[in-house]
Amino acid sequence: MSYYVYAYLTDANKVSSVFSSNDPNIYEALSTSLKDDLGNLDNYFSEYTNAQKNVSEVLKDIINGEVRFPDIPFMYGYVYEKICEYFGEQIYNAEYIWELEEQSAFIPIPFSTDFPYIISVEKYRLQEKKSKFIALKYGIGNCDYEEEIKDLTYILDKAIEESRDLVICVY
């Protein structure tokens, strides 16, 4: 089984502003821009979704500041990832699995006990997290330690250099 790590530089303030905004214009902008990605998620997870419980409804939940579907926490994670990408850019993807610390997000979403595994770091905490993560000897993953540390250093340095918030998703 393969595991993948994706990293995004984003704007935590913009991501946070989506949550509980109750703004139909934000829903329209996100659902239009992310239409293909959201459709792909619905197709991929079709066994868990239906007309009343789907990715668009999860997006509405985030915008309305609620969690109507606690039985599919992973879907909130994937939608969160897409919102972070919408307000930023993907800077990394590789076939690793990283276990750096507890899951975190810029908005209060439920976390899956499986995947995606999400770590969100605000730009003012990047240097602190870099020191912590780079010092890890165990628990970073199950592949080549030196290569993973090199990649993790690249991600953190890029976020620090550009002074942007960082989101790492593992699945």
Side-chain angles (χ1 to χ4, degrees), residues 42-64:
D42 267 335
N43 288 335
Y44 189 78
F45 294 108
S46 61
E47 67 188 90
Y48 301 101
T49 62
N50 57 47
Q52 292 79 37
K53 182 169 83 172
N54 56 47
V55 176
S56 292
E57 293 300 311
V58 168
L59 177 60
K60 286 178 187 175
D61 273 9
I62 290 171
I63 292 169
N64 294 329

Side-chain angles (χ1 to χ4, degrees), residues 89-101:
E89 64 180 304
Q90 183 184 92
I91 61 163
Y92 178 85
N93 72 65
E95 188 175 346
Y96 291 136
I97 182 167
W98 291 347
E99 299 169 3
L100 302 171
E101 64 181 13

Side-chain angles (χ1 to χ4, degrees), residues 2-45:
S2 296
Y3 297 97
Y4 289 90
V5 175
Y6 287 79
Y8 303 90
L9 296 182
T10 194
D11 186 323
N13 290 328
K14 288 181 181 177
V15 172
S16 295
S17 73
V18 170
F19 183 77
S20 201
S21 67
N22 295 301
D23 186 340
N25 294 323
I26 290 176
Y27 173 78
E28 187 61 35
L30 289 171
S31 64
T32 299
S33 180
L34 301 173
K35 182 180 180 180
D36 291 342
D37 290 329
L38 299 178
N40 288 339
L41 286 170
D42 267 335
N43 288 335
Y44 189 78
F45 294 108

